[in-house]
Amino acid sequence: MASYGARSRQRRLILPNPSLTETIMRVVSGIQPTGKPHLGNYLGAIRNYVKLQDDAIAAGGECLIFIADLHAISMPHDPAELRSSTLELVATLVACGLDTNKTVLFNQAQVPAHAELQWLLNGTARMGWLNRMTQFKDKSGKNREGASIALFTYPVLQAADVLLYQATHVPVGDDQKQHLELARDIAQKFNNDFCSDAEPVFTLPEPYIPPEAARIMSLRDGLAKMSKSDPSDMSRINLSDDADTIMKKVKKAKTDAEPLPFEKAGLGGRPEALNLVSIYAAVTGESVDAVLRHYGGEGFGRFKPALGEALVEVLSPISERFNALKQDRESLDAILARGAARAREMGGGTLAAAYNALGLVRG
Ligand code: ATP
Ligand code: MG
C-alpha cells in the first residue's frame, strides 16, 4: 500500500496564488444540499471555488467539490426535497461557473468510500474530542438526547471527506475551523497508532482562507449571517431570484436614516449600511472606500437601486443558466456520475491503505 501513503504521493501541486506559493495543493470542499443557495453562499464560497479551480488548473493542481448529501441526513429531512436540492445544487454550481472539466464535482452518496472511511476513523476519534464540538451543541440545542447520532459524529464524516483524498487545503469559514482541527487530530492519531513514520496513510490538511472571503449578512438584520435556514425569504437574495424579486428585496432591506459616509470608518455601528455597501463592493469588485467615494453623502433612496442593478447584472446570467440546467435532469445526472467515478478512483488508494493499516482483511 506504500504507493498510496501521504508522503509518496506523486503529484506535487503548486498554485500561483501569492498566499499559497510553494504549497503543494489538493483542495477539497463540500456544500450541503439543504435549502436554496443564496448570495452569501456565492460570494463566501462558490465564487472562490471558481477562482480556485482556475488557479489549480494553471498549476496542474486539483479541486474536488462535493455535495454533502450524507451530511444532510443528520437533521430531520424530507427525502424528495433532498433529491431535488442535490440536483439543484449541481445546477447552481455549474451556473456559477464551476467547470466540471476542471473541478471534480460529485455527491457523497455515489462514493461509498466516504461512509466507509468514516467508520474506520470512528475507531480513532475520541468521545472527548467530539464532545467539545460547539456546532453539535448549537445544532442539538436543548434536545441533546433527541439529536441523531449522525449529528454527533458528523465531524468524523467531514474528516473522512477530506482525508480520503489526501486534501492539503480545505477552504473553511470560521464555523468550520474546529472541525478541520479535529480532522487533523484524527489523521495524526491514526498515523501515529497504525503507520510507520515513513508511510503515514493520511495528509494533515491546512485551512485555506480565501483572500477575498466575504461574509454577507441578512437583509433584515445586519448582525445575523445571511442564511438558508433563516425563515424569512426577505432576509436573503436567492441565486434563483429574478430581477424584480432582487430589486424588491434590496429596496425593502433594513437600513438606517443617515446618508452614506465618505469612508469606511463612518460605517462603524451601522451594520445594515456596512452590509449593503460591502455587497456592492463584492459584486462590482470595488473596495468599500471606492464605493463610498462615489456614494458618500447619498441616502439609501439612491444607493439601493444602484445596488439592486449591480446585483441583477451579476446574478441574472447565473439564474438564467440555472433555470435552463435545472430542467435538464439527464445532464445533471451525467455530471454527478462522471464526478463520482473520478472521485472513487482518486479515493480508492487511501481507503485501501486505511483498511490495510488497521489489519482488516479484504480478500
Ligand atoms: P445553513 O443555514 O443551513 O447552515 P448556510 O446558509 O450557512 O446554510 P451552508 O451550506 O452552511 O449555508 O454553507 C455553504 C458555504 O457557504 C460555506 O462555505 C459557508 O461558509 C458559506 N456561507 C454560508 N453563508 C454565508 C454568508 N452569509 N456569507 C458568506 N459565506 C457564507
Ligand atoms: Mg451554515
Side-chain angles (χ1 to χ4, degrees), residues 139 175 225 227:
K139 288 205 173 175
D175 53 336
K225 175 182 98 62
S227 174

Side-chain angles (χ1 to χ4, degrees), residues 48-99:
N48 291 314
Y49 296 162
V50 175
K51 284 190 194 135
L52 264 172
Q53 75 181 356
D54 286 329
D55 286 351
I57 276 292
E62 277 159 325
C63 267
L64 292 91
I65 302 295
F66 61 89
I67 293 169
D69 49 5
L70 292 184
H71 286 283
I73 65 166
S74 62
M75 297 291 275
H77 81 287
D78 176 63
E81 246 170 57
L82 176 57
R83 201 169 291 122
S84 66
S85 302
T86 299
L87 293 167
E88 284 191 9
L89 188 51
V90 183
T92 303
L93 291 167
V94 174
C96 288
L98 213 75
D99 178 346

Side-chain angles (χ1 to χ4, degrees), residues 241-285:
D241 284 345
D242 61 23
D244 288 350
T245 311
I246 292 173
M247 277 300 195
K248 189 177 85 192
K249 286 181 174 175
V250 171
K251 285 186 181 158
K252 293 215 161 153
K254 186 176 167 195
T255 43
D256 52 40
E258 302 293 311
L260 284 170
F262 290 89
E263 44 192 52
K264 193 174 177 184
L267 290 170
R270 299 177 64 186
E272 283 84 16
L274 173 64
N275 187 37
L276 295 188
V277 174
S278 303
I279 293 175
Y280 187 97
V283 293
T284 58

Side-chain angles (χ1 to χ4, degrees), residues 31-32 34 38 40-41 44-45 214-216 225-229:
I31 177 161
Q32 276 207 52
T34 42
H38 54 75
N41 299 139
R215 188 165 164 81
I216 307 301
K225 175 182 98 62
M226 184 178 285
S227 174
K228 286 181 215 155
S229 43

Side-chain angles (χ1 to χ4, degrees), residues 177-244:
K177 272 191 196 146
Q178 200 187 25
H179 290 179
L180 187 63
E181 271 305 312
L182 180 87
R184 289 172 60 87
D185 289 345
I186 293 173
Q188 182 78 65
K189 181 168 167 54
F190 188 103
N191 287 344
N192 286 346
D193 290 356
F194 304 112
C195 313
S196 72
D197 284 352
E199 293 297 340
V201 168
F202 297 117
T203 301
L204 270 55
E206 302 285 340
Y208 171 66
I209 316 276
E212 291 161 48
R215 188 165 164 81
I216 307 301
M217 310 310 277
S218 157
L219 298 181
R220 311 299 302 161
D221 174 1
L223 296 175
K225 175 182 98 62
M226 184 178 285
S227 174
K228 286 181 215 155
S229 43
D230 191 315
S232 165
D233 198 57
M234 294 301 283
S235 71
R236 65 184 157 260
I237 308 276
N238 301 310
L239 295 183
S240 53
D241 284 345
D242 61 23
D244 288 350

